[in-house]
Amino acid sequence: MNTAASENSVSKTKLDTKLLVGTLLFCLFNKPALALADDAQELAAIKAQMRLLAAQVEAIEQRQAKRQGLKKTQTALAGKGRHNTGLAGGKTATAALGSGPADPAIRFSPDTPPASVAQAGGLPLRSHGSGTNPFGFEWLPASQEVVGHPRSAMDLASSSPSSITQTSVDHLPPVFTIGGISVKLGGFVELSNIARDSNMTAGPATAWGSFPYANNPNHGLSEERISAQLSRMSVLMEANPRKDIRLQAYIETDFGGAAGTSNSVQISGYTPRMRQGYFTFTQKDWGFHLLMGQAWSLVTNYSKGLLPRQEQLPAVTDNNQIPGIAFTRVPQIRIGKDWHEKYWLGLSIEDPQGTVDASTFSKSCSPNGSSFSGTNVPAGYGQSGTSCAYYQNSGGVLLNSGTHYTDNPAPDIVLKAAADTSFGHYEVFGLGRWFRSLSVMPGESTTRKHTHFGGGVGAGLTTPLGTKKLQLAGNILAGEGVGRYGPSLLPDTTLNSRGQLTPVPEIIGSLGLIGHPSKSVLLYTYGGVETAGRKSYMGNDGHQYGYGVSDLNLSGCSIEFGSCNAQTHTLASLTAGGWWHFMEGHYGSMMAGLQYTYIRKFAFKGNDGFGNSVSPTTFGNTVYVTFRYFPFQ
């Protein structure tokens, strides 16, 4: 037995020696970075769990305090004291739950307070309103809020309604982390009921410039649609390699695509599309900002600074905004500089797609009998022969083959300066554009390239009117060849007598009032206008060509099934609506919206065929009733 015990002791000693040696080898040869990464992930998970526990403790204490009839101040002080001592021992708990992690590869967003009940999902479902819920939900009284109720990411008392038209993912806590990258989810599920008094066979984005004249049988034929196409999903990925550096990537998508297989007959199979997809680099100490990808144009009005997701977008439901708002969402490269986050300067190089009106050039041409068809351009007064112009092509690989793309030689350039002051946000900008065409001149057999410059200047503001509960927001853009930046899509250019693209003069502007009677209600009204000037020439045949011509026979515009080729001069609109954020909790938020838009369209004057002046006009009414569920807010 002594021999067996001795052998067991020797075997155990050998085994312990092997384990010790193996452990030492593992520690020597294992990569320290992996250990640090595991520690960082574990630390992030522990912090998330601590926040959740803190939120649950606070929720229980609030319910107990409410039952006992304690005052708000007593409950808040008692709750704060218990949290600081119960979790990690006073100040140590606050430090542990703060935004400064031990590993610099993991940083929490400063927008996420550690003991926020709503962010951690500790509060039961609440509703902005009065009454009793038979299902056990806790209704929030209209006159006061639940003790400890945090500032919601859907707070409609903010100075900008972008939380409605975008998703406010910046104010949400990370859902999870991947290494040193935090991932936040945003978006909403929407159901809209759209009613128009003229049938446009359109989804939840109104083609404002296409409201029909009386000659069209769709004029006065009401249209009603229910759509969930604008349901949206967004992802914000964020990393902070250093305290002064922030990296972000943002992707936003909806179901506004309409591929060839999309229909509403049996299955409403509308396709996802990219709304935004970009990454940003910020160096805080230098005030340097870089954006690359698809985002709102720098032309768009902003509510603060010139940073993405801070656009002053109107709080409307319609996905095509409203007439008078200047905007696009395009691929771009943008650099910016701020001085103490008060003064801003940005330069953006953006995708240059343009629009052309060639409605008065009805014939096509093929020089030398070629298979390439262009637009026939009649000679101007005193000239001889006709030109053949080429200015666009159908989409190729990874582009829409059913859409024409213009042949612009250079990107649009936007330079904007902005200032944030105690009495509002103000900005001014300049826009430069280039338009190119090919033409075969009279008597020639080869093409010539022609490039014309366009662009304009603009300004915007967002300012309180004596109180934070009422804001004034406005924008204006004036120039030549800027129609693409308005939702009515007035033409950027037309053709001159030599087959060259020539910019059309235009003005785009809007003014809106945004009211915040409470944190749960937002009201708005906007007025907007888009107008185009004349850009035409007199042909050697005595007729006018181009845009804004005055010798068209427009007598059929007021007769059903009559012929009407009127060119749009002005679109004016008036929009009023509101949003009610009526429910929120750890199950998300619910909002309801009601919007009405009136639009009036005026055409350039023509004649009735007998020398009398004719001024065609039409109008339209659109009503939206919308519900949105925000599962992450």
Side-chain angles (χ1 to χ4, degrees):
M1 294 180 62
N2 291 335
T3 303
S6 177
E7 289 177 354
N8 289 338
S9 177
V10 172
S11 299
K12 185 176 181 182
T13 302
K14 291 181 179 180
L15 180 60
D16 291 341
T17 303
K18 290 180 180 180
L19 288 174
L20 179 60
V21 172
T23 302
L24 290 173
L25 291 174
F26 178 83
C27 293
L28 288 173
F29 293 101
N30 189 35
K31 295 182 179 180
L34 294 177
L36 288 175
D38 293 339
D39 291 343
Q41 293 178 3
E42 185 177 0
L43 180 61
I46 292 173
K47 286 186 175 182
Q49 188 174 10
M50 292 174 68
R51 290 176 178 176
L52 179 61
L53 291 173
Q56 292 175 349
V57 170
E58 185 176 350
I60 294 172
E61 291 172 345
Q62 288 173 0
R63 290 198 296 269
Q64 291 176 346
K66 189 174 182 181
R67 294 191 191 102
Q68 296 171 4
L70 297 179
K71 296 181 179 180
K72 286 185 179 181
T73 53
Q74 295 175 339
T75 304
L77 290 173
K80 184 176 180 181
R82 282 191 293 269
H83 293 159
N84 289 344
T85 57
L87 285 177
K91 296 182 179 179
T92 306
T94 304
L97 293 175
S99 60
D103 186 353
I106 301 279
R107 293 183 65 84
F108 289 93
S109 171
D111 298 325
T112 57
S116 175
V117 180
Q119 290 178 354
L123 283 181
L125 188 65
R126 299 187 307 276
S127 174
H128 293 290
S130 59
T132 303
N133 192 304
F135 299 102
F137 297 163
E138 183 180 353
W139 297 89
L140 182 66
S143 58
Q144 61 183 2
E145 295 185 347
V146 174
V147 177
H149 174 54
R151 182 178 178 87
S152 170
M154 294 301 300
D155 183 1
L156 300 189
S158 63
S159 62
S160 171
S162 60
S163 61
I164 300 173
T165 50
Q166 298 198 52
T167 51
S168 293
V169 292
D170 296 83
H171 302 288
L172 298 175
V175 176
F176 57 91
T177 62
I178 304 175
I181 301 174
S182 66
V183 181
K184 302 179 180 181
L185 301 180
F188 52 81
V189 178
E190 174 181 301
L191 182 67
S192 283
N193 186 53
I194 309 116
R196 302 184 179 99
D197 62 355
S198 286
N199 185 13
M200 304 184 70
T201 319
T206 305
W208 301 109
S210 299
F211 270 93
Y213 292 100
N215 70 306
N216 193 320
N218 286 320
H219 177 77
L221 179 65
S222 63
E223 174 185 21
E224 187 277 334
R225 295 189 184 277
I226 298 178
S227 175
Q229 280 183 266
L230 297 188
S231 298
R232 188 180 305 172
M233 181 69 184
S234 64
V235 180
L236 175 63
M237 293 160 281
E238 182 179 273
N240 297 90
R242 296 201 318 242
K243 291 183 178 180
D244 59 336
I245 292 180
R246 172 170 290 184
L247 301 174
Q248 292 183 323
Y250 182 72
I251 299 176
E252 182 181 277
T253 181
D254 63 14
F255 297 87
T261 56
S262 299
N263 67 81
S264 296
V265 178
Q266 188 177 48
I267 299 175
S268 296
Y270 295 95
T271 54
R273 64 169 187 168
M274 181 175 69
R275 286 174 55 87
Q276 299 188 76
Y278 58 84
F279 68 89
T280 62
F281 170 85
T282 300
Q283 220 293 351
K284 187 175 182 180
D285 292 346
W286 300 345
F288 176 78
H289 308 273
L290 172 68
L291 181 150
M292 301 181 73
Q294 178 164 307
W296 294 94
S297 167
L298 191 57
V299 165
T300 310
N301 199 17
Y302 283 75
S303 62
K304 181 180 180 181
L306 296 178
L307 297 179
R309 302 186 301 283
Q310 294 292 330
E311 296 85 3
Q312 178 59 277
L313 302 172
V316 298
T317 300
D318 197 293
N319 205 43
N320 201 24
Q321 308 295 317
I322 53 174
I325 298 293
F327 79 98
T328 58
R329 284 194 311 271
V330 290
Q332 59 190 275
I333 301 174
R334 183 193 304 181
I335 58 175
K337 176 73 171 71
D338 77 77
W339 288 267
H340 308 292
E341 297 185 351
K342 184 176 182 180
Y343 302 103
W344 305 75
L345 186 65
L347 175 66
S348 184
I349 300 173
E350 305 183 355
D351 184 65
Q353 193 55 222
T355 57
V356 181
D357 183 275
S359 58
T360 56
F361 306 93
S362 56
K363 297 180 181 179
S364 61
C365 55
S366 298
N368 303 325
S370 70
S371 59
F372 300 98
S373 178
T375 299
N376 185 75
V377 181
Y381 185 78
Q383 300 174 345
S384 60
T386 61
S387 302
C388 191
Y390 300 86
Y391 53 86
Q392 62 186 16
N393 291 284
S394 298
V397 178
L398 293 184
L399 295 179
N400 188 347
S401 60
T403 299
H404 291 99
Y405 296 82
T406 52
D407 302 325
N408 300 334
D412 295 357
I413 296 180
V414 185
L415 179 64
K416 176 177 279 192
D420 293 310
T421 70
S422 59
F423 47 89
H425 170 88
Y426 303 89
E427 57 188 44
V428 293
F429 65 90
L431 168 66
R433 310 191 65 191
W434 290 264
F435 307 98
R436 183 172 63 187
S437 65
L438 301 173
S439 67
V440 179
M441 306 299 288
E444 298 182 3
S445 58
T446 58
T447 61
R448 294 186 183 182
K449 296 179 183 178
H450 309 283
T451 301
H452 280 200
F453 177 79
V457 294
L461 63 86
T462 303
T463 181
L465 294 179
T467 172
K468 291 183 178 180
K469 292 188 175 182
L470 183 63
Q471 281 83 34
L472 176 69
N475 67 275
I476 187 170
L477 171 60
E480 293 190 339
V482 298
R484 167 180 180 258
Y485 285 87
S488 300
L489 289 181
L490 293 173
D492 291 324
T493 61
T494 187
L495 294 167
N496 63 15
S497 62
R498 294 298 183 182
Q500 303 167 352
L501 293 179
T502 176
V504 175
E506 286 144 340
I507 297 177
I508 301 169
S510 71
L511 198 63
L513 288 175
I514 307 167
H516 313 278
S518 72
K519 289 186 177 182
S520 60
V521 176
L522 182 147
L523 303 175
Y524 59 85
T525 180
Y526 292 92
V529 63
E530 297 182 37
T531 184
R534 299 180 185 272
K535 185 66 72 169
S536 60
Y537 71 92
M538 179 66 70
N540 62 4
D541 58 0
H543 293 290
Q544 297 179 31
Y545 297 92
Y547 196 75
V549 301
S550 58
D551 62 350
L552 295 176
N553 186 339
L554 303 179
S555 59
C557 292
S558 59
I559 302 173
E560 192 170 19
F561 300 113
S563 176
C564 181
N565 56 347
Q567 297 175 315
T568 302
H569 184 311
T570 300
L571 292 104
S573 69
L574 177 64
T575 299
W579 290 92
W580 179 31
H581 179 200
F582 63 89
M583 188 175 293
E584 71 172 9
H586 63 283
Y587 295 107
S589 297
M590 286 286 294
M591 295 180 64
L594 177 65
Q595 176 184 309
Y596 166 76
T597 298
Y598 173 80
I599 186 169
R600 190 86 180 184
K601 184 168 73 170
F602 303 89
F604 284 99
K605 291 183 179 181
N607 63 76
D608 63 355
F610 300 98
N612 300 312
S613 178
V614 174
S615 300
T617 184
T618 189
F619 65 91
N621 298 278
T622 303
V623 175
Y624 271 82
V625 178
T626 303
F627 294 92
R628 287 179 178 175
Y629 168 53
F630 296 79
F632 305 107
Q633 295 174 256

